[in-house]
Amino acid sequence: MAESPSESSPSAAAAAAAVDEAELARRRRIDDLNLPADVLAAYRRKFDALDLNRDGVVEIRELVAVSRVFGYNLSREEVLEIFDRQDFEDSGGIAFDEFVVAMRKRAGQPHASGDIRTRFRQYDRKKRGYINADDAFPILERELGFDLSKTEALVDLYDKNKDYRLSLMEFVEFHKKVEALKQQIVEAFNEFDVNQDGFVDLEEVYAKMVPKGCTPEQVEALFRKADRNGDNRLDYSEFAAFWDIPID
């Protein structure tokens, strides 16, 4: 038995409203970027050229190609990250608004600069285009006092696709965290190093930690553990291990 117009209209109206709301959301995402008309038109031309079946969605293989057209040369792993971050509608592809947002964010990220790429290469000694915890450990041990377990935990925190390694895109946020942690350690080191000789001795540690409730015995035990070369003072790297800064 066919539905009467009155029975079918509410569901049709709801569906139409949902479509309208989705379209408004897409337009808002583009409007929020405040792009010049000619730039937006250029994005549209590239997007349309790659939307082979004209369904309004660009798939992963298509985005790899378009990234090269725009000069980004994204790896497949980086493209997958963009899909994870920009596929607002969980459609398995990227609509035009999602594509524009992804490309503009990519253009504005600091990893496009030479500095972050240089830093990445310092980690990526094997020149594989990615780093893992083993690559990061020597640097994090020196700069943050991390052991391998702690290094693995930090890498895992920024390994968005859980492949046990960091791409250049993932490395950007990882590097920001490393720099923030390092700044905190540097500030603590300078606070402890009262005589500004570039080292922290046991008396300086006593002066800072005993008033905060630590016993001299506790302080000395921590100090001796961190003093790897046994010279009765902590250089920056030893102090970083002594400070044992939390990741969070």
Side-chain angles (χ1 to χ4, degrees), residues 145 192 205 209 219 222-223 226 234 237-245:
F192 274 70
V205 177
M209 297 189 68
V219 171
L222 291 170
F223 183 93
L234 305 180
S237 194
E238 291 171 325
F239 178 84
F242 166 81
W243 198 238
D244 193 21
I245 193 167

Side-chain angles (χ1 to χ4, degrees), residues 148-213:
L148 182 57
S149 177
K150 207 167 178 181
T151 300
E152 290 172 342
L154 187 61
V155 168
D156 183 65
L157 188 62
Y158 292 93
D159 176 18
K160 301 304 181 184
N161 60 359
K162 301 306 176 187
D163 61 354
Y164 304 103
R165 61 192 191 185
L166 300 180
S167 65
L168 177 58
M169 182 179 288
E170 289 170 321
F171 177 79
V172 174
E173 296 303 319
F174 168 84
H175 179 60
K176 288 180 183 177
K177 182 65 173 181
V178 169
E179 291 301 302
L181 292 173
K182 185 164 66 174
Q183 182 60 36
Q184 293 178 50
I185 296 170
V186 168
E187 290 173 358
F189 181 82
N190 290 334
E191 183 182 347
F192 274 70
D193 182 19
V194 177
N195 63 6
Q196 296 296 296
D197 65 348
F199 297 92
V200 173
D201 60 38
L202 185 54
E203 293 304 317
E204 288 172 325
V205 177
Y206 280 148
K208 290 294 181 182
M209 297 189 68
V210 171
K212 295 182 179 180

